[in-house]
Short mmCIF file of all heavy atoms in Angstrom, two decimals:
data_model
loop_
_atom_site.label_atom_id
_atom_site.label_comp_id
_atom_site.label_asym_id
_atom_site.label_seq_id
_atom_site.Cartn_x
_atom_site.Cartn_y
_atom_site.Cartn_z
N ILE A 265 13.42 19.67 59.74
CA ILE A 265 13.16 20.41 60.98
C ILE A 265 14.41 20.45 61.86
O ILE A 265 14.79 21.49 62.40
CB ILE A 265 11.98 19.78 61.76
CG1 ILE A 265 10.68 19.98 60.98
CG2 ILE A 265 11.87 20.38 63.16
CD1 ILE A 265 9.52 19.20 61.52
N GLN A 266 15.07 19.27 61.98
CA GLN A 266 16.27 19.20 62.83
C GLN A 266 17.38 20.11 62.32
O GLN A 266 17.98 20.87 63.10
CB GLN A 266 16.77 17.75 62.87
CG GLN A 266 17.97 17.52 63.76
CD GLN A 266 17.59 17.22 65.18
OE1 GLN A 266 16.68 17.82 65.72
NE2 GLN A 266 18.31 16.29 65.79
N VAL A 267 17.66 20.05 61.03
CA VAL A 267 18.74 20.86 60.45
C VAL A 267 18.41 22.34 60.55
O VAL A 267 19.27 23.16 60.91
CB VAL A 267 18.98 20.46 58.98
CG1 VAL A 267 19.96 21.42 58.30
CG2 VAL A 267 19.51 19.03 58.89
N SER A 268 17.16 22.70 60.24
CA SER A 268 16.76 24.11 60.29
C SER A 268 16.86 24.66 61.71
O SER A 268 17.41 25.75 61.93
CB SER A 268 15.33 24.27 59.77
OG SER A 268 15.22 23.81 58.45
N TYR A 269 16.34 23.90 62.67
CA TYR A 269 16.36 24.36 64.06
C TYR A 269 17.79 24.44 64.60
O TYR A 269 18.14 25.35 65.36
CB TYR A 269 15.52 23.43 64.93
CG TYR A 269 15.37 23.90 66.35
CD1 TYR A 269 14.53 24.98 66.66
CD2 TYR A 269 16.07 23.29 67.39
CE1 TYR A 269 14.40 25.43 67.96
CE2 TYR A 269 15.94 23.74 68.70
CZ TYR A 269 15.10 24.81 68.98
OH TYR A 269 14.98 25.26 70.27
N PHE A 270 18.63 23.48 64.18
CA PHE A 270 20.03 23.46 64.60
C PHE A 270 20.74 24.74 64.16
O PHE A 270 21.52 25.33 64.92
CB PHE A 270 20.73 22.23 64.02
CG PHE A 270 22.15 22.04 64.49
CD1 PHE A 270 22.42 21.40 65.68
CD2 PHE A 270 23.21 22.50 63.74
CE1 PHE A 270 23.72 21.22 66.13
CE2 PHE A 270 24.52 22.32 64.16
CZ PHE A 270 24.77 21.68 65.36
N LYS A 271 20.45 25.18 62.94
CA LYS A 271 21.10 26.39 62.41
C LYS A 271 20.54 27.65 63.07
O LYS A 271 21.28 28.57 63.41
CB LYS A 271 20.92 26.47 60.89
CG LYS A 271 21.71 25.41 60.14
CD LYS A 271 21.51 25.52 58.64
CE LYS A 271 22.35 24.49 57.90
NZ LYS A 271 22.16 24.58 56.42
N ILE A 272 19.21 27.68 63.25
CA ILE A 272 18.58 28.86 63.83
C ILE A 272 18.96 29.04 65.30
O ILE A 272 19.24 30.15 65.76
CB ILE A 272 17.04 28.76 63.70
CG1 ILE A 272 16.64 28.84 62.22
CG2 ILE A 272 16.35 29.88 64.49
CD1 ILE A 272 15.18 28.53 61.97
N SER A 273 18.98 27.91 66.03
CA SER A 273 19.24 27.97 67.48
C SER A 273 20.72 27.88 67.82
O SER A 273 21.08 27.82 68.99
CB SER A 273 18.49 26.83 68.18
OG SER A 273 18.99 25.57 67.74
N LYS A 274 21.56 27.81 66.80
CA LYS A 274 23.02 27.74 66.99
C LYS A 274 23.44 26.51 67.82
O LYS A 274 24.14 26.63 68.83
CB LYS A 274 23.54 29.02 67.62
CG LYS A 274 23.31 30.25 66.76
CD LYS A 274 23.87 31.51 67.41
CE LYS A 274 23.62 32.72 66.51
NZ LYS A 274 24.14 33.97 67.13
N GLY A 275 22.99 25.35 67.35
CA GLY A 275 23.49 24.12 67.95
C GLY A 275 22.50 23.31 68.76
O GLY A 275 22.82 22.21 69.19
N LYS A 276 21.28 23.79 68.93
CA LYS A 276 20.28 23.02 69.69
C LYS A 276 19.53 22.06 68.76
O LYS A 276 19.45 22.28 67.57
CB LYS A 276 19.30 23.97 70.38
CG LYS A 276 19.94 24.84 71.46
CD LYS A 276 18.90 25.72 72.13
CE LYS A 276 19.55 26.59 73.21
NZ LYS A 276 18.55 27.48 73.86
N ARG A 277 18.98 21.00 69.37
CA ARG A 277 18.27 19.98 68.60
C ARG A 277 16.87 19.76 69.16
O ARG A 277 16.65 19.86 70.37
CB ARG A 277 19.03 18.65 68.62
CG ARG A 277 20.34 18.67 67.84
CD ARG A 277 21.06 17.34 67.97
NE ARG A 277 22.20 17.24 67.07
CZ ARG A 277 23.40 17.69 67.31
NH1 ARG A 277 23.63 18.31 68.47
NH2 ARG A 277 24.38 17.55 66.44
N ILE A 278 15.96 19.41 68.27
CA ILE A 278 14.61 19.04 68.70
C ILE A 278 14.55 17.54 68.96
O ILE A 278 14.01 17.09 69.98
CB ILE A 278 13.56 19.43 67.62
CG1 ILE A 278 13.50 20.95 67.49
CG2 ILE A 278 12.18 18.86 67.98
CD1 ILE A 278 12.55 21.43 66.42
N PHE A 279 15.11 16.75 68.04
CA PHE A 279 15.14 15.30 68.17
C PHE A 279 16.53 14.86 68.60
O PHE A 279 17.52 15.55 68.34
CB PHE A 279 14.78 14.63 66.85
CG PHE A 279 13.48 15.11 66.26
CD1 PHE A 279 13.48 15.97 65.17
CD2 PHE A 279 12.27 14.71 66.79
CE1 PHE A 279 12.30 16.43 64.61
CE2 PHE A 279 11.08 15.16 66.25
CZ PHE A 279 11.09 16.02 65.16
N ARG A 280 16.62 13.71 69.23
CA ARG A 280 17.92 13.20 69.65
C ARG A 280 18.78 12.86 68.43
O ARG A 280 20.00 13.00 68.47
CB ARG A 280 17.74 11.97 70.55
CG ARG A 280 17.02 12.30 71.85
CD ARG A 280 17.05 11.14 72.82
NE ARG A 280 16.36 11.48 74.07
CZ ARG A 280 16.32 10.69 75.13
NH1 ARG A 280 16.93 9.50 75.11
NH2 ARG A 280 15.68 11.08 76.22
N MET A 281 18.13 12.38 67.38
CA MET A 281 18.83 12.09 66.13
C MET A 281 17.78 11.92 65.04
O MET A 281 16.65 11.51 65.31
CB MET A 281 19.67 10.80 66.24
CG MET A 281 20.50 10.50 64.99
SD MET A 281 21.51 9.01 65.19
CE MET A 281 22.70 9.61 66.38
N THR A 282 18.13 12.30 63.84
CA THR A 282 17.23 12.10 62.70
C THR A 282 17.94 11.29 61.62
O THR A 282 19.18 11.25 61.59
CB THR A 282 16.79 13.46 62.11
OG1 THR A 282 17.93 14.24 61.76
CG2 THR A 282 15.92 14.22 63.09
N PRO A 283 17.15 10.65 60.73
CA PRO A 283 15.69 10.60 60.66
C PRO A 283 15.06 10.11 61.96
O PRO A 283 15.73 9.48 62.78
CB PRO A 283 15.41 9.65 59.50
CG PRO A 283 16.65 9.68 58.67
CD PRO A 283 17.77 9.85 59.65
N ILE A 284 13.77 10.35 62.11
CA ILE A 284 13.11 10.22 63.39
C ILE A 284 13.12 8.81 63.96
O ILE A 284 12.98 8.63 65.18
CB ILE A 284 11.66 10.77 63.30
CG1 ILE A 284 11.13 11.07 64.70
CG2 ILE A 284 10.78 9.83 62.50
CD1 ILE A 284 9.84 11.87 64.70
N HIS A 285 13.33 7.78 63.11
CA HIS A 285 13.38 6.42 63.67
C HIS A 285 14.58 6.28 64.63
O HIS A 285 14.50 5.52 65.59
CB HIS A 285 13.44 5.36 62.56
CG HIS A 285 14.51 5.56 61.53
ND1 HIS A 285 14.25 6.02 60.26
CD2 HIS A 285 15.85 5.33 61.58
CE1 HIS A 285 15.38 6.09 59.57
NE2 HIS A 285 16.35 5.67 60.35
N HIS A 286 15.65 7.02 64.37
CA HIS A 286 16.80 6.98 65.28
C HIS A 286 16.49 7.68 66.61
O HIS A 286 17.04 7.32 67.65
CB HIS A 286 18.02 7.63 64.64
CG HIS A 286 18.60 6.84 63.50
ND1 HIS A 286 18.72 5.47 63.53
CD2 HIS A 286 19.08 7.25 62.29
CE1 HIS A 286 19.26 5.06 62.39
NE2 HIS A 286 19.49 6.11 61.63
N HIS A 287 15.62 8.66 66.57
CA HIS A 287 15.21 9.36 67.79
C HIS A 287 14.61 8.37 68.79
O HIS A 287 14.94 8.40 69.98
CB HIS A 287 14.19 10.45 67.44
CG HIS A 287 13.52 11.08 68.62
ND1 HIS A 287 14.15 12.02 69.41
CD2 HIS A 287 12.27 10.89 69.15
CE1 HIS A 287 13.31 12.40 70.38
NE2 HIS A 287 12.17 11.73 70.24
N TYR A 288 13.76 7.49 68.29
CA TYR A 288 13.11 6.53 69.18
C TYR A 288 14.08 5.44 69.64
O TYR A 288 13.96 4.94 70.76
CB TYR A 288 11.88 5.92 68.50
CG TYR A 288 10.76 6.93 68.39
CD1 TYR A 288 10.50 7.59 67.20
CD2 TYR A 288 9.98 7.23 69.50
CE1 TYR A 288 9.48 8.53 67.11
CE2 TYR A 288 8.96 8.17 69.42
CZ TYR A 288 8.72 8.82 68.22
OH TYR A 288 7.72 9.76 68.15
N GLU A 289 15.04 5.11 68.80
CA GLU A 289 16.08 4.18 69.24
C GLU A 289 16.85 4.75 70.43
O GLU A 289 17.09 4.05 71.42
CB GLU A 289 17.06 3.91 68.09
CG GLU A 289 16.65 2.84 67.12
CD GLU A 289 17.82 2.45 66.23
OE1 GLU A 289 18.20 3.28 65.38
OE2 GLU A 289 18.33 1.34 66.39
N LEU A 290 17.22 6.01 70.32
CA LEU A 290 18.01 6.65 71.39
C LEU A 290 17.17 6.90 72.64
O LEU A 290 17.71 7.16 73.72
CB LEU A 290 18.63 7.95 70.89
CG LEU A 290 19.70 7.78 69.79
CD1 LEU A 290 20.27 9.12 69.39
CD2 LEU A 290 20.81 6.85 70.24
N LYS A 291 15.85 6.85 72.50
CA LYS A 291 14.98 6.95 73.67
C LYS A 291 14.85 5.61 74.40
O LYS A 291 14.22 5.53 75.45
CB LYS A 291 13.59 7.44 73.26
CG LYS A 291 13.52 8.93 72.92
CD LYS A 291 12.10 9.39 72.70
CE LYS A 291 11.31 9.37 74.01
NZ LYS A 291 9.94 9.93 73.85
N GLY A 292 15.43 4.56 73.80
CA GLY A 292 15.43 3.26 74.46
C GLY A 292 14.60 2.19 73.79
O GLY A 292 14.57 1.05 74.25
N TRP A 293 13.91 2.53 72.70
CA TRP A 293 13.15 1.51 71.97
C TRP A 293 14.11 0.57 71.25
O TRP A 293 15.10 1.02 70.66
CB TRP A 293 12.25 2.16 70.93
CG TRP A 293 11.07 2.90 71.48
CD1 TRP A 293 10.93 3.43 72.73
CD2 TRP A 293 9.88 3.24 70.76
NE1 TRP A 293 9.72 4.06 72.85
CE2 TRP A 293 9.05 3.96 71.65
CE3 TRP A 293 9.43 3.00 69.47
CZ2 TRP A 293 7.80 4.43 71.29
CZ3 TRP A 293 8.18 3.47 69.10
CH2 TRP A 293 7.38 4.18 69.99
N HIS A 294 13.80 -0.72 71.30
CA HIS A 294 14.58 -1.67 70.50
C HIS A 294 14.27 -1.45 69.03
O HIS A 294 13.16 -1.04 68.66
CB HIS A 294 14.25 -3.10 70.90
CG HIS A 294 15.19 -4.12 70.33
ND1 HIS A 294 15.07 -4.61 69.04
CD2 HIS A 294 16.28 -4.72 70.86
CE1 HIS A 294 16.04 -5.47 68.81
NE2 HIS A 294 16.79 -5.56 69.89
N GLU A 295 15.25 -1.74 68.20
CA GLU A 295 15.07 -1.56 66.76
C GLU A 295 13.83 -2.27 66.24
O GLU A 295 13.09 -1.74 65.41
CB GLU A 295 16.32 -2.06 66.02
CG GLU A 295 16.24 -1.91 64.52
CD GLU A 295 17.55 -2.26 63.81
OE1 GLU A 295 18.58 -2.36 64.51
OE2 GLU A 295 17.53 -2.42 62.59
N LYS A 296 13.58 -3.49 66.73
CA LYS A 296 12.40 -4.24 66.27
C LYS A 296 11.10 -3.52 66.62
O LYS A 296 10.15 -3.54 65.84
CB LYS A 296 12.41 -5.65 66.87
CG LYS A 296 13.49 -6.56 66.32
CD LYS A 296 13.27 -8.00 66.71
CE LYS A 296 13.47 -8.23 68.19
NZ LYS A 296 13.36 -9.67 68.55
N LYS A 297 11.06 -2.88 67.80
CA LYS A 297 9.86 -2.16 68.20
C LYS A 297 9.63 -0.95 67.31
O LYS A 297 8.49 -0.68 66.89
CB LYS A 297 9.97 -1.72 69.66
CG LYS A 297 8.76 -0.93 70.14
CD LYS A 297 8.89 -0.51 71.60
CE LYS A 297 7.67 0.30 72.04
NZ LYS A 297 7.77 0.72 73.45
N VAL A 298 10.70 -0.21 67.02
CA VAL A 298 10.58 0.96 66.15
C VAL A 298 10.02 0.55 64.79
O VAL A 298 9.08 1.16 64.27
CB VAL A 298 11.94 1.66 65.96
CG1 VAL A 298 11.78 2.86 65.02
CG2 VAL A 298 12.50 2.12 67.29
N VAL A 299 10.58 -0.51 64.23
CA VAL A 299 10.15 -0.97 62.90
C VAL A 299 8.69 -1.40 62.93
O VAL A 299 7.91 -1.06 62.04
CB VAL A 299 11.06 -2.12 62.41
CG1 VAL A 299 10.49 -2.74 61.14
CG2 VAL A 299 12.47 -1.60 62.15
N ARG A 300 8.30 -2.15 63.95
CA ARG A 300 6.91 -2.63 64.02
C ARG A 300 5.92 -1.48 64.16
O ARG A 300 4.86 -1.48 63.52
CB ARG A 300 6.76 -3.60 65.19
CG ARG A 300 7.41 -4.95 64.94
CD ARG A 300 7.48 -5.78 66.21
NE ARG A 300 8.14 -7.06 65.99
CZ ARG A 300 8.53 -7.87 66.96
NH1 ARG A 300 8.32 -7.55 68.24
NH2 ARG A 300 9.12 -9.02 66.66
N VAL A 301 6.27 -0.51 64.99
CA VAL A 301 5.39 0.66 65.16
C VAL A 301 5.29 1.44 63.85
O VAL A 301 4.19 1.85 63.43
CB VAL A 301 5.89 1.57 66.30
CG1 VAL A 301 5.12 2.89 66.31
CG2 VAL A 301 5.75 0.87 67.64
N PHE A 302 6.42 1.64 63.18
CA PHE A 302 6.41 2.37 61.92
C PHE A 302 5.70 1.59 60.82
O PHE A 302 5.03 2.18 59.97
CB PHE A 302 7.85 2.72 61.50
CG PHE A 302 8.39 3.94 62.20
CD1 PHE A 302 8.16 4.17 63.54
CD2 PHE A 302 9.15 4.87 61.51
CE1 PHE A 302 8.66 5.30 64.20
CE2 PHE A 302 9.66 6.00 62.14
CZ PHE A 302 9.41 6.21 63.49
N TRP A 303 5.83 0.27 60.83
CA TRP A 303 5.05 -0.56 59.89
C TRP A 303 3.56 -0.37 60.13
O TRP A 303 2.78 -0.26 59.18
CB TRP A 303 5.39 -2.03 60.08
CG TRP A 303 6.63 -2.49 59.38
CD1 TRP A 303 7.48 -1.75 58.62
CD2 TRP A 303 7.15 -3.82 59.38
NE1 TRP A 303 8.52 -2.54 58.15
CE2 TRP A 303 8.33 -3.81 58.61
CE3 TRP A 303 6.75 -5.01 59.97
CZ2 TRP A 303 9.10 -4.96 58.40
CZ3 TRP A 303 7.51 -6.16 59.77
CH2 TRP A 303 8.66 -6.13 58.99
N LEU A 304 3.16 -0.36 61.39
CA LEU A 304 1.74 -0.18 61.73
C LEU A 304 1.24 1.16 61.21
O LEU A 304 0.13 1.25 60.65
CB LEU A 304 1.55 -0.27 63.24
CG LEU A 304 0.12 -0.03 63.76
CD1 LEU A 304 -0.84 -1.06 63.17
CD2 LEU A 304 0.08 -0.06 65.29
N ILE A 305 2.07 2.20 61.36
CA ILE A 305 1.69 3.52 60.85
C ILE A 305 1.53 3.47 59.33
O ILE A 305 0.56 3.99 58.77
CB ILE A 305 2.75 4.57 61.24
CG1 ILE A 305 2.74 4.77 62.76
CG2 ILE A 305 2.49 5.89 60.52
CD1 ILE A 305 3.90 5.61 63.28
N ALA A 306 2.49 2.83 58.65
CA ALA A 306 2.41 2.71 57.18
C ALA A 306 1.17 1.94 56.76
O ALA A 306 0.51 2.29 55.77
CB ALA A 306 3.67 2.02 56.66
N PHE A 307 0.84 0.89 57.50
CA PHE A 307 -0.36 0.10 57.21
C PHE A 307 -1.62 0.94 57.38
O PHE A 307 -2.51 0.93 56.51
CB PHE A 307 -0.41 -1.12 58.14
CG PHE A 307 -1.71 -1.87 58.11
CD1 PHE A 307 -2.06 -2.63 57.01
CD2 PHE A 307 -2.60 -1.79 59.18
CE1 PHE A 307 -3.28 -3.32 56.98
CE2 PHE A 307 -3.80 -2.47 59.16
CZ PHE A 307 -4.14 -3.24 58.05
N LEU A 308 -1.72 1.67 58.48
CA LEU A 308 -2.90 2.50 58.74
C LEU A 308 -3.04 3.61 57.69
O LEU A 308 -4.16 3.93 57.26
CB LEU A 308 -2.82 3.10 60.14
CG LEU A 308 -2.93 2.10 61.30
CD1 LEU A 308 -2.70 2.80 62.63
CD2 LEU A 308 -4.30 1.39 61.29
N LEU A 309 -1.92 4.19 57.28
CA LEU A 309 -1.96 5.23 56.25
C LEU A 309 -2.43 4.65 54.91
O LEU A 309 -3.16 5.32 54.16
CB LEU A 309 -0.59 5.88 56.10
CG LEU A 309 -0.15 6.77 57.27
CD1 LEU A 309 1.31 7.19 57.10
CD2 LEU A 309 -1.04 7.99 57.37
N ALA A 310 -2.03 3.41 54.62
CA ALA A 310 -2.49 2.76 53.40
C ALA A 310 -4.00 2.51 53.47
O ALA A 310 -4.71 2.66 52.46
CB ALA A 310 -1.75 1.44 53.19
N ILE A 311 -4.50 2.16 54.65
CA ILE A 311 -5.94 1.97 54.83
C ILE A 311 -6.70 3.28 54.63
O ILE A 311 -7.74 3.32 53.96
CB ILE A 311 -6.24 1.41 56.25
CG1 ILE A 311 -5.69 -0.01 56.40
CG2 ILE A 311 -7.75 1.42 56.53
CD1 ILE A 311 -6.34 -1.04 55.49
N ILE A 312 -6.15 4.36 55.20
CA ILE A 312 -6.77 5.67 55.01
C ILE A 312 -6.78 6.04 53.52
O ILE A 312 -7.76 6.58 53.00
CB ILE A 312 -6.04 6.75 55.83
CG1 ILE A 312 -6.20 6.47 57.32
CG2 ILE A 312 -6.56 8.15 55.49
CD1 ILE A 312 -5.34 7.36 58.22
N GLY A 313 -5.67 5.74 52.84
CA GLY A 313 -5.60 5.98 51.40
C GLY A 313 -6.65 5.19 50.65
O GLY A 313 -7.27 5.69 49.70
#
Side-chain angles (χ1 to χ4, degrees):
I265 293 170
Q266 182 88 320
V267 172
S268 300
Y269 186 74
F270 185 84
K271 291 181 178 179
I272 293 171
S273 64
K274 298 181 180 179
K276 295 182 180 179
R277 291 178 171 85
I278 294 178
F279 307 105
R280 296 189 180 185
M281 184 178 290
T282 55
I284 199 168
H285 52 255
H286 290 319
H287 170 77
Y288 288 101
E289 276 193 290
L290 294 181
K291 286 188 69 175
W293 288 23
H294 191 278
E295 180 173 346
K296 290 192 291 185
K297 179 180 179 180
V298 179
V299 171
R300 287 169 182 168
V301 170
F302 279 41
W303 278 1
L304 177 60
I305 293 171
F307 169 72
L308 293 175
L309 289 172
I311 293 295
I312 295 172

